[in-house]
């Protein structure tokens, strides 16, 4: 947290303040959604049962392939780096993203002391193309970002517990959709990354 000057009255206020405590001038971005009670992501995204059948849930939580860092590191490095995580398909790996869309969540390991089941919403990607030469390049997919709830990328924190047997990175979204609980919606994007 840093102190800044209010543009209206010059009072010293927190950079996280929604409005100036002295004069009421609006300072920060106001959250788009307000959490009043426990909600699932279904309350925000509104996907029908039919639509869910076109989505894979990407649980980005560990280093993969030639990536030597964790997915959150890739996200914080920049949008192109994070997008690359959603294009990856390693040598000999099956087609993890065998549906039309990827619903991406990033493990928030640096906040795990607060809640070990926190995930950051990383966007919804449409698979534009699947590549046949993925064994050589480790790039299996061409993806594009979808507009649905794009404003929540890097802001929506989801609570989801991975059971001990969940070792893969991709799952059918309809299986876990109702178990993904809205934990928090940040006013500003985590790390300040802007999707391009």
């Amino acid at each position: 947290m840093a102190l800044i000057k209010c543009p209206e009255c010059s009072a010293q206020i927190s950079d996280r303040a929604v409005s100036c405590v002295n004069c009421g001038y609006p300072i920060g971005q106001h959250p788009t959604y307000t959490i009043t009670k426990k909600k699932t992501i279904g309350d925000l995204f509104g996907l029908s049962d039919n639509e869910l059948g076109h989505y894979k849930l990407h649980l980005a939580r560990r280093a993969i392939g030639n990536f030597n860092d964790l997915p959150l590191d890739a996200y914080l490095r920049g949008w192109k780096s994070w997008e690359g995580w959603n294009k990856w398909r390693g040598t000999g790996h099956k087609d993890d993203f065998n549906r039309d869309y990827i619903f991406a969540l990033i493990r928030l390991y640096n906040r795990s002391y607060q809640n070990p089941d926190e995930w950051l919403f990383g966007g919804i990607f449409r698979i534009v193309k699947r590549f046949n030469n993925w064994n050589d390049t480790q790039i299996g997919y061409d993806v594009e970002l979808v507009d649905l709830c794009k404003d929540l990328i890097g802001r929506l924190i989801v609570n989801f517990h991975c059971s001990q047997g969940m070792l893969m990175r991709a799952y059918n979204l309809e299986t876990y959709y109702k178990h993904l609980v809205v934990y928090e919606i940040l006013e500003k994007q985590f790390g300040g990354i802007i999707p391009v």
Side-chain angles (χ1 to χ4, degrees):
M1 181 183 85
L3 291 176
I4 60 171
K5 276 189 178 181
C6 171
E8 184 70 18
C9 71
S10 299
Q12 292 285 325
I13 56 172
S14 167
D15 63 342
R16 295 182 184 172
V18 174
S19 62
C20 177
V21 293
N22 187 49
C23 69
Y25 184 83
I27 302 297
Q29 269 185 306
H30 298 277
T32 307
Y33 306 97
T34 303
I35 303 171
T36 55
K37 60 180 182 176
K38 185 176 172 180
K39 291 184 177 186
T40 66
I41 60 165
D43 297 321
L44 298 177
F45 290 84
L47 297 172
S48 69
D49 290 342
N50 184 46
E51 290 170 315
L52 287 172
H54 296 278
Y55 285 80
K56 277 294 207 176
L57 173 61
H58 178 196
L59 297 177
R61 57 187 157 178
R62 63 175 68 94
I64 55 173
N66 292 332
F67 298 98
N68 294 323
D69 52 11
L70 295 170
L72 185 60
D73 298 326
Y75 172 81
L76 292 173
R77 216 177 13 260
W79 185 254
K80 289 296 179 189
S81 177
W82 166 239
E83 187 180 54
W85 271 73
N86 292 282
K87 294 179 177 184
W88 181 83
R89 182 177 177 187
T91 305
H93 282 252
K94 65 180 185 166
D95 185 10
D96 285 336
F97 302 137
N98 56 6
R99 292 184 170 185
D100 299 329
Y101 298 95
I102 302 168
F103 189 99
L105 296 178
I106 307 163
R107 178 76 171 85
L108 276 176
Y109 59 86
N110 67 334
R111 288 173 40 129
S112 64
Y113 65 92
Q114 295 174 5
N115 181 349
D117 298 325
E118 287 182 359
W119 299 81
L120 184 67
F121 176 59
I124 297 174
F125 297 90
R126 183 176 75 83
I127 297 181
V128 177
K129 182 177 181 180
R130 288 175 172 78
F131 296 111
N132 294 328
N133 64 342
W134 55 270
N135 267 322
D136 299 328
T137 64
Q138 292 195 343
I139 297 174
Y141 314 94
D142 185 16
V143 298
E144 69 180 6
L145 186 63
V146 172
D147 286 336
L148 179 63
C149 292
K150 186 177 175 180
D151 63 319
L152 292 176
I153 294 173
R155 293 180 51 227
L156 172 62
I157 298 176
V158 174
N159 187 287
F160 175 68
H161 177 71
C162 284
S163 63
Q164 191 173 7
M166 295 180 74
L167 302 176
M168 301 182 312
R169 71 176 183 146
Y171 299 89
N172 295 338
L173 183 58
E174 67 271 17
T175 306
Y176 300 102
Y177 190 60
K178 293 179 180 170
H179 302 283
L180 299 169
V181 176
V182 175
Y183 182 73
E184 181 179 1
I185 299 176
L186 305 173
E187 288 186 32
K188 295 180 181 178
Q189 287 183 316
F190 187 87
I193 304 302
I194 308 294
V196 290

